[in-house]
Amino acid sequence: YTIESYRSARGINVDGLLSSFKPTREEERLIVRIQERYSVLLSPGQILWRRLKTRELLRTGQFFAQEYPEDINKCFLTTGGAFFADPASEQNHLEWYADQIAEPGWLLEELPYRQSTISFNGPNLAIWELPRPEGVYVIFLDCAAGFGNSETDDWSCANVIDVETKHHVARLRVKATPEQTGAMACSVGLLYNQALFGVERNGYGAAALQRAKDLSYPALYYYVDPDQPDTKPTLGWYTTEKTRDMMLTKLRMAIFSRSLHTRDAVFLREAGALTWQKIKERGDRMWRAEARSGHDDTVIAMAGCLAIADRASPNRRASSQHTEILVTPTGGLVIGSSGPSFPSPSSRPSLPWLR
C-alpha cells in the first residue's frame, strides 16, 4: 500500500467511482486492521484499486491474497493446484482463516502425568483454550522419526480439538523421538479430560503408540475399517493411501464450511502449501495432496482429529478425571494441586513469528 500505482486502475474512471465509493464491511475491517498493525490509513483510492484488482484476478482463477499479500499470514497461501481451493466458490477460504490468526494464550514447557512430569523440550505446547470441565476432546499425533533437529527435519505434531465446538484448542509441535512424543501427547490428552488419543499404528507412530500403552493412557483410539465395519477394532489409526485421502477430504470439507475454528498460524502456513500433485501408481497417473515445500505435520494432525472425532464418546464427561487448573489474577496457570505453574502470556517474551 506504499506503492503509488496501487491507487489507480488502467482504463477505469477512478474519479467517477470515488464520488460514490462506500467500503464494504470486509473492507472496513481491513482498514482498521492495517491501521492497527502498520499505522497506515488506507485511502478510498487504495481500497477501490484493491476491489477492482480482486475482480480482475478472479476472472483468471487467481486470488488477491496470493498475488498481493496484505500481511505475513497471507504470504503462504497458494492458488494454482491448491488442495484447499474451492472450485465452487470465488472466495479463498484460507484467506478467511488468516484473518482469525491469534497468538496462543499460553506456551507450556511441561505437564504432569500421574506421578511424574513430562517435558516438552521447551515452550512447545501452544494453548488457545483451556479444557472445559464438560468438554469432550480428541488428540491426534502425527509422528516423525526424530532423527535430527535441523530446519529440514520433520516435526512431530499433536493437535487437540473440542468435539462439540470444533475449536482447535491446543497444538504440540516438537522434534523428539516417537517414544518421547508419545509420552508428551499422553500428558496433553490427560489435561484435556482424557481426550481420545489417535496415532497411526504403522510407520513411526507405532513406537509412540506403544509408549502410550506402557503409560496406561486411558483413552486410546481403535480403528475400524469402514469397508468392513463388522471386523474387530484394532488399536491405533491405520494409515493407507485410502485413509489418508479420507482424513484430508474431511478436513477440506471442514475448511470449506468453516466449521473448524483455528487461530494457528503454523497450520495456515502448511495448509496454504498443500497442493495437488500427480503420482504414479501401478502404471496410472493419480492425484494426491502433497506439501509443495516444507512440512505438513500440523495439517495431518488436524485431519486426524476430525477423522476420529466421531468415536469420542460424550459419556466420558461423567467419568473423566479432570486436571485441576487455576488461573491466577495475572493470567498465569497452575496445573494440578501441586503441579507446575506458568506465567501469564503478557509476562513471557514474545517468540519470533516464524519458528
Side-chain angles (χ1 to χ4, degrees):
Y1 290 114
T2 61
I3 301 176
E4 186 64 31
S5 61
Y6 289 2
R7 293 172 170 81
S8 61
R10 187 178 303 173
I12 300 294
N13 181 8
V14 176
D15 292 335
L17 292 175
L18 284 175
S19 62
S20 58
F21 173 77
K22 182 179 180 180
T24 64
R25 290 185 178 180
E26 186 269 337
E27 290 168 344
E28 290 176 348
R29 289 194 295 268
L30 172 68
I31 293 171
V32 172
R33 187 174 73 248
I34 295 298
Q35 186 174 17
E36 290 178 347
R37 292 184 182 179
Y38 309 111
S39 300
V40 174
L41 181 60
L42 299 181
S43 68
Q46 290 172 308
I47 295 296
L48 180 59
W49 175 87
R50 176 183 183 272
R51 185 186 298 178
L52 296 173
K53 181 60 67 173
T54 296
R55 294 174 181 173
E56 176 185 325
L57 290 171
L58 283 175
R59 286 196 292 268
T60 61
Q62 298 172 291
F63 293 99
F64 184 87
Q66 167 69 19
E67 306 302 323
Y68 301 92
E70 293 164 324
D71 55 53
I72 196 167
N73 294 327
K74 297 178 181 178
C75 289
F76 305 99
L77 305 185
T78 60
T79 52
F83 180 75
F84 291 105
D86 185 355
S89 173
E90 293 184 348
Q91 292 183 307
N92 185 330
H93 297 291
L94 293 185
E95 181 180 352
W96 180 85
Y97 276 97
D99 292 332
Q100 318 303 315
I101 294 300
E103 290 291 325
W106 295 271
L107 294 172
L108 305 191
E109 299 184 4
E110 60 183 21
L111 276 177
Y113 186 81
R114 305 194 188 283
Q115 306 304 317
S116 63
T117 298
I118 295 180
S119 170
F120 302 136
N121 299 340
N124 292 316
L125 175 62
I127 292 181
W128 285 269
E129 296 180 22
L130 296 174
R132 299 181 293 118
E134 73 282 5
V136 177
Y137 297 90
V138 293
I139 178 172
F140 192 94
L141 172 63
D142 179 55
C143 200
F147 293 146
N149 197 35
S150 69
E151 185 61 32
T152 57
D153 290 317
D154 287 335
W155 296 80
S156 290
C157 178
N159 280 325
V160 183
I161 286 182
D162 185 319
V163 173
E164 182 178 358
T165 66
K166 293 299 187 293
H167 283 200
H168 177 209
V169 297
R171 180 250 298 153
L172 171 69
R173 192 168 186 253
V174 66
K175 292 184 178 179
T177 66
E179 294 82 2
Q180 291 172 323
T181 53
M184 295 176 189
C186 284
S187 68
V188 177
L190 198 66
L191 174 68
Y192 281 90
N193 302 348
Q194 300 180 9
L196 180 64
F197 179 15
V199 59
E200 64 178 357
R201 69 173 185 264
N202 49 334
Y204 299 120
L209 181 59
Q210 182 60 50
R211 182 58 174 155
K213 289 176 61 180
D214 294 342
L215 291 173
S216 300
Y217 186 79
L220 292 173
Y221 170 81
Y222 280 75
Y223 175 81
V224 176
D225 189 337
D227 295 329
Q228 303 178 42
D230 296 330
T231 57
K232 182 180 179 180
T234 52
L235 183 62
W237 175 267
Y238 185 55
T239 301
T240 64
E241 194 72 35
K242 181 177 181 178
T243 59
R244 183 181 185 275
D245 289 345
M246 181 270 288
M247 63 197 297
L248 284 173
T249 298
K250 183 165 287 191
L251 174 60
R252 186 167 59 163
M253 292 173 63
I255 293 292
F256 287 2
S257 65
R258 300 179 186 175
S259 57
L260 173 69
H261 302 274
T262 181
R263 289 157 284 181
D264 187 0
V266 177
F267 168 76
L268 180 74
R269 190 162 70 233
E270 292 186 2
L274 201 69
T275 62
W276 287 105
Q277 294 185 18
K278 283 187 177 181
I279 62 172
K280 193 169 185 177
E281 184 173 303
R282 297 178 183 176
D284 297 324
R285 300 296 290 182
M286 300 178 64
W287 292 93
R288 68 173 289 174
E290 290 286 350
R292 180 185 55 176
S293 61
H295 308 282
D296 64 359
D297 47 274
T298 310
V299 172
I300 297 300
M302 191 80 80
C305 282
L306 296 178
I308 70 173
D310 292 341
R311 298 289 300 280
S313 172
N315 295 331
R316 295 191 56 79
R317 289 183 177 136
S319 59
S320 294
Q321 299 176 3
H322 306 297
T323 302
E324 182 182 354
I325 303 175
L326 173 65
V327 181
T328 68
T330 59
L333 292 183
V334 177
I335 308 292
S337 57
S338 59
S341 61
F342 304 93
S344 65
S346 59
S347 64
R348 60 172 169 82
S350 177
L351 292 178
W353 175 252
L354 298 179
R355 289 191 287 147

